[in-house]
Amino acid sequence: QVQFMESGGGLVQPGGSLRLSCAASGISFRRVPMAWYRQAPGKEREWIAYITVGGSTNSADSVKGRFTISRDTAKNTVFLQMNSLKAEDTAAYYCNEYGGSWSWGQGTQVTVSS
């Protein structure tokens, strides 16, 4: 059974930083591309960054230059470093295989507010 556990969210002021973590079980990051998604209240879940099996990364225009995805394959953990946070980044953040193939975890809430 594939499970994801996201952590690291919280309340941060605009311009601040957070680092999210996602630990996975039942799936190997050496075999599948992984991604971060987010869902703001009243909006659909959206993809924001992915990392391929080979380690290449890409991110959505809305976060490009501010968010960085990385991973530790030995620990089967994927990270999202978020800098220069804005109010519009407020959302619940989730990880999943790129394409969202598996059931979603509980996510971690990020709130950007002064």
Side-chain angles (χ1 to χ4, degrees):
Q1 183 178 2
V2 177
Q3 292 183 320
F4 302 105
M5 182 171 294
E6 301 90 351
S7 62
L11 173 64
V12 62
Q13 293 186 344
S17 298
L18 282 174
R19 189 189 193 214
L20 307 184
S21 299
C22 169
S25 60
I27 192 172
S28 172
F29 292 178
R30 292 186 175 90
R31 296 179 180 269
V32 300
M34 289 296 297
W36 282 95
Y37 300 80
R38 68 184 180 188
Q39 186 168 21
K43 295 187 177 181
E44 292 187 353
R45 186 176 283 129
E46 63 174 345
W47 158 79
I48 54 173
Y50 72 74
I51 184 165
T52 69
V53 171
S56 299
T57 63
N58 196 11
S59 57
D61 289 343
S62 59
V63 305
K64 197 175 293 288
R66 299 189 298 122
F67 291 10
T68 302
I69 187 171
S70 62
R71 68 185 179 188
D72 183 333
T73 54
K75 295 182 179 180
N76 228 34
T77 301
V78 64
F79 305 99
L80 186 69
Q81 178 66 43
M82 306 188 297
N83 299 326
S84 302
L85 282 160
K86 306 175 181 180
E88 51 263 44
D89 296 319
T90 294
Y93 285 71
Y94 304 85
C95 70
N96 206 315
E97 180 177 351
Y98 184 45
S101 302
W102 306 100
S103 296
W104 297 94
Q106 292 189 337
T108 187
Q109 178 67 37
V110 173
T111 302
V112 184
S113 175
S114 55

